[in-house]
Amino acid sequence: MTHTKKITLSALFIALGIIMPFITGQVPQIGSMLLPMHIPVLISGFVLGGPYGAIVGAITPILRSMIFTMPPMATAIPMAFELATYGFVTGVIYSKVSKNIVGVYISLISAMILGRIVWGCVQAILYGEMTLAAFVASGFTNAIPGIILQLILVPLVVRLLQKARVM
């Protein structure tokens, strides 16, 4: 894939990350449960590779916060680190595993776990001590619907893109 095509697709994934949260109607409680911004970032790592996926992940929440004030910048900053990790890890791991559904899930689950750990660390550094209970509640328990959505939707889209020979 050419550099120009990767830049163009990066812009597409950023745009999707900016508009997909409108699906939740800008309601923060629903958005934090369904995590619509995460989906295009995760897919970008698979399609574009780790470095581009990281850039898409870092830019998307910050740009969306600057344009629509949602998420608030205090939330967008830790999200930028989390999503950059998602894009980077999916791309790097996927480049090293077999391109079947097992490889997709290994890449996806690894990225989801590492991204949440990075998010928790950034939250703790920027905003003070975060207890393990608060981390688990905010990072995992409250996000179960979004995690399930990602585990279903992202592999489906990746497999469809593989079949269409986009990646």
Side-chain angles (χ1 to χ4, degrees), residues 130-150:
M130 178 180 273
T131 66
L132 182 59
F135 170 70
V136 170
S138 296
F140 295 94
T141 307
N142 297 341
I144 288 174
I147 291 168
I148 292 168
L149 182 64
Q150 290 169 11

Side-chain angles (χ1 to χ4, degrees), residues 7-152:
I7 290 173
T8 303
L9 287 172
S10 295
L12 172 69
F13 286 120
I14 291 168
L16 286 171
I18 289 171
I19 62 171
M20 282 187 69
F22 285 114
I23 294 169
T24 65
Q26 291 286 88
V27 179
Q29 295 80 5
I30 296 173
S32 65
M33 284 181 5
L34 293 180
L35 312 169
M37 194 183 306
H38 297 200
I39 294 167
V41 172
L42 287 162
I43 295 169
S44 75
F46 284 103
V47 174
L48 304 171
Y52 284 90
I55 292 167
V56 168
I59 290 172
T60 303
I62 301 295
L63 186 57
R64 189 165 202 291
S65 180
M66 291 171 62
I67 295 169
F68 298 112
T69 69
M70 288 299 289
M73 192 57 74
T75 303
I77 293 169
M79 276 183 73
F81 285 91
E82 173 190 18
L83 271 62
T85 303
Y86 284 172
F88 183 76
V89 171
T90 54
V92 169
I93 292 179
Y94 189 65
S95 72
K96 298 184 183 320
V97 298
S98 60
K99 304 303 181 250
N100 59 21
I101 195 68
V102 174
V104 171
Y105 273 107
I106 290 169
S107 304
L108 177 61
I109 292 168
S110 300
M112 291 168 69
I113 292 169
L114 290 172
R116 283 300 170 150
I117 291 170
V118 167
W119 169 83
C121 291
V122 173
Q123 283 278 116
I125 291 167
L126 292 179
Y127 306 119
E129 190 176 320
M130 178 180 273
T131 66
L132 182 59
F135 170 70
V136 170
S138 296
F140 295 94
T141 307
N142 297 341
I144 288 174
I147 291 168
I148 292 168
L149 182 64
Q150 290 169 11
L151 290 172
I152 294 168

